[in-house]
Amino acid sequence: MNTTSTSSTSMNAASINKLSLPTLLGNYAGTQGVRSGAVTSDLIDLQIADVKVSNRAFPRVVRTREFQVAELALVTFFQARAYGRPLVLMPAVIGAGRTQHQCLVYNAERGPVTLDNLAGKRIGIRAHSQTTVAWIRGFLQNDYGVDLDAIQWVTFEGAHVAEFDDPPELERAADGKALVDMLFAGELDAAIIGSGMPDDARLQPVIPDPYGEAQAWSERTGAIPINHMVAIDADLATRRPDVVREVYRLLRESKRLADDKKGAVRT
């Protein structure tokens, strides 16, 4: 009996019977296990899209049903649900929770910008519905008593969800303008910059001691700010709860591998 041939045939049959799921999943330490194939499943095959920056594909998640499993920003998910998109959120955080208070910065060359003098200031934001922007606006209003309506918010992009229109009082930057360039040129007084913060000494936080403030906020609320989680097609979740459990297992195992590697490096 040719056991090699029999084994190969069995493996091929198992592969054919797997449920193939178009997937959007960014490249992070916690997703490397899934992306590299170190963590696999006999039930599903995550067909991960070749996307360098996952948030640039978020419109594809909420405007079509291109992906059945997708990393998604929280505010984008909430808006998508509000407009009837068939998505459900899984208890799976992508990336890591991070502090946000340091993301509101000003150009120190042009004088200080403080929590007390934000009224009338022009603050650049990538988009009104960006999750980091939502966090910062919440801190300003709820923790520091800032009147958000007294600020002139300048956006550079619309929402991922096509039906959502920015509030009319927001200003859209001219085509071709870049947020950081406008901040350095004095066309903006401050800006909220999430990922991609330039390593430039001119950029100083508006919130004093932002990391200390972030730690105090977490201790007070018992929470850590997060931006991205995993959404799954609602119809798939209804039909195949076993698939939902398997997707979650893969993500959990992938994160465990990353944590194990991190622990090994520390020791």
Side-chain angles (χ1 to χ4, degrees):
M1 179 178 179
N2 188 337
T3 56
T4 301
S5 177
T6 302
S7 175
S8 176
T9 300
S10 299
M11 289 176 63
N12 289 337
S15 177
I16 292 172
N17 290 330
K18 285 186 180 182
L19 181 63
S20 181
L21 300 177
T23 300
L24 175 68
L25 196 61
N27 190 3
Y28 311 98
T31 61
Q32 276 301 301
V34 171
R35 293 180 63 90
S36 68
V39 178
T40 60
S41 169
D42 293 333
L43 178 64
I44 59 175
D45 184 11
L46 299 181
Q47 296 291 319
I48 299 175
D50 183 15
V51 174
K52 290 184 178 180
V53 181
S54 56
N55 64 26
R56 294 302 174 186
F58 289 169
R60 293 161 58 187
V61 177
V62 297
R63 298 185 186 192
T64 69
R65 301 182 76 170
E66 179 177 347
F67 300 105
Q68 291 187 289
V69 178
E71 174 186 349
L72 202 57
L74 288 179
V75 172
T76 299
F77 172 80
F78 297 144
Q79 286 185 336
R81 287 285 295 180
Y83 283 98
R85 297 298 190 276
L87 295 168
V88 294
L89 201 63
M90 298 182 65
V93 177
I94 294 299
R98 72 172 189 192
T99 60
Q100 305 275 3
H101 291 68
Q102 76 281 0
C103 294
L104 175 60
V105 296
Y106 67 95
N107 178 6
E109 281 190 336
R110 296 185 173 272
V113 176
T114 69
L115 292 169
D116 294 329
N117 70 1
L118 287 178
K121 293 292 192 290
R122 291 166 54 80
I123 298 182
I125 54 178
R126 194 186 82 203
H128 177 65
S129 56
Q130 183 186 5
T131 301
T132 293
V133 169
W135 279 113
I136 295 293
R137 284 167 56 92
F139 298 145
L140 292 177
Q141 183 178 59
N142 299 326
D143 298 336
Y144 304 108
V146 173
D147 180 2
L148 300 180
D149 293 333
I151 295 169
Q152 180 59 61
W153 301 96
V154 181
T155 68
F156 291 75
E157 299 176 12
H160 294 138
V161 178
E163 295 92 332
F164 180 83
D165 293 323
D166 284 348
E169 64 272 16
L170 269 62
E171 176 186 336
R172 179 61 62 88
D175 290 345
K177 289 284 190 176
L179 185 150
V180 173
D181 292 343
M182 288 182 68
L183 182 58
F184 285 143
E187 298 175 79
L188 297 172
D189 299 297
I192 296 176
I193 305 175
S195 58
M197 177 78 74
D199 183 12
D200 192 306
R202 291 174 292 177
L203 298 181
Q204 294 297 315
V206 172
I207 299 174
D209 185 22
Y211 295 103
E213 287 288 292
Q215 181 177 351
W217 181 89
S218 290
E219 290 174 352
R220 184 170 68 253
T221 62
I224 297 174
I226 59 175
N227 280 20
H228 296 182
M229 296 181 72
V230 174
I232 195 165
D233 183 90
D235 292 342
L236 174 64
T238 299
R239 295 193 321 269
R240 296 291 303 270
D242 58 326
V243 168
V244 179
R245 289 191 292 269
E246 185 68 351
V247 171
Y248 182 76
R249 183 191 70 80
L250 290 175
L251 295 171
R252 184 187 61 199
E253 287 300 307
S254 186
K255 185 178 185 304
R256 183 188 60 77
L257 281 180
D259 291 342
D260 289 348
K261 288 180 180 179
K262 187 187 300 183
V265 170
R266 285 175 180 170
T267 57

